[in-house]
Amino acid sequence: LFQKYGYTHLSAGDLLRDERKRPGSQYGELIENYIKEGEIVPVEITISLLKRAMDQTMSANSQKNKFLIDGFPRNEDNLQGWNKTMDGKADVSFVLFFDCDNEICIGRCLERGKSSGRSDDNRESLEKRIHTYLQSTKPIIDLYERMGKVRKVDASKSVDEVFEKVVQIFDKEG
């Protein structure tokens, strides 16, 4: 879907998980510990991985300069790090916010955990992640909302309904 609109999808979580598994990574064990505890990985690590992925994408094809960054920024530190590193290099057009009830999220992640192999797909880690979200991420969503940049999707709906809403947003935003 995102490629149709010219976006390259970058998942902060996937980049962190890939780096954690990369042989010889200086950050691997550190990343694993943060993820397992449901905490936010230090911004310098996440931004360096995002910037590297963006630079690689654009050096392969200069026309690929629109990115959907999934799962970032997660807190004030992330936002400040992004602004400091990417000021004048990247603009945030909008934030796509999937809003969903905590218990629905936990249930879906526990179901995913049956086959994902992710160390954080268990109730204890998920409850820690929700606490971290409420304390650290929600204020960032609220900030972007005050700037008029949040596009909200009710993610408790069916996959098809959520997809349709996302298509409508991208049709409008381009």
Side-chain angles (χ1 to χ4, degrees):
L1 167 71
F2 308 117
Q3 291 160 340
K4 173 185 168 189
Y5 297 94
Y7 286 85
T8 299
H9 175 245
L10 297 177
S11 164
D14 286 351
L15 290 170
L16 289 165
R17 283 184 287 277
D18 290 347
E19 182 66 20
R20 174 185 64 185
K21 290 184 227 160
R22 191 174 63 81
S25 169
Q26 61 183 9
Y27 302 126
E29 194 175 329
L30 181 77
I31 292 169
E32 172 63 21
N33 291 335
Y34 276 93
I35 288 175
K36 204 182 296 183
E37 289 303 313
E39 294 176 2
I40 296 168
V41 174
V43 66
E44 296 79 13
I45 296 172
T46 309
I47 285 193
S48 70
L49 298 176
L50 284 167
K51 190 168 184 320
R52 182 172 73 193
M54 292 169 82
D55 289 344
Q56 286 171 348
T57 301
M58 289 186 295
S59 67
N61 181 346
S62 61
Q63 299 300 305
K64 291 195 166 211
N65 61 359
K66 288 168 61 174
F67 296 91
L68 175 76
I69 300 178
D70 178 353
F72 188 89
R74 293 270 171 130
N75 62 13
E76 181 65 32
D77 191 42
N78 279 185
L79 182 61
Q80 286 179 7
W82 172 265
N83 290 340
K84 181 178 164 193
T85 306
M86 304 306 275
D87 185 42
K89 297 179 187 133
D91 296 320
V92 176
S93 300
F94 64 97
V95 172
L96 187 59
F97 176 51
F98 292 92
D99 194 17
C100 194
D101 174 81
N102 291 345
E103 276 309 309
I104 292 174
C105 285
I106 288 173
R108 287 176 178 174
C109 290
L110 290 175
E111 188 61 35
R112 176 183 70 188
K114 292 176 183 175
S115 60
S116 71
R118 285 180 51 165
S119 61
D120 59 340
D121 276 346
N122 62 74
R123 183 165 283 276
E124 185 181 357
S125 289
L126 292 166
E127 287 176 356
K128 287 178 183 176
R129 286 173 63 190
I130 287 171
H131 175 76
T132 300
Y133 163 77
L134 291 171
Q135 190 174 41
S136 302
T137 307
K138 185 73 170 82
I140 303 304
I141 303 292
D142 294 343
L143 174 74
Y144 278 111
E145 187 126 47
R146 289 192 296 275
M147 295 164 65
K149 291 192 172 198
V150 172
R151 308 297 178 265
K152 196 178 286 194
V153 176
D154 180 356
S156 67
K157 305 275 189 203
S158 72
V159 171
D160 289 341
E161 289 172 295
V162 170
F163 181 78
E164 182 55 39
K165 179 65 175 170
V166 171
V167 168
Q168 289 171 12
I169 290 168
F170 274 85
D171 278 344
K172 187 176 177 189
E173 299 294 336

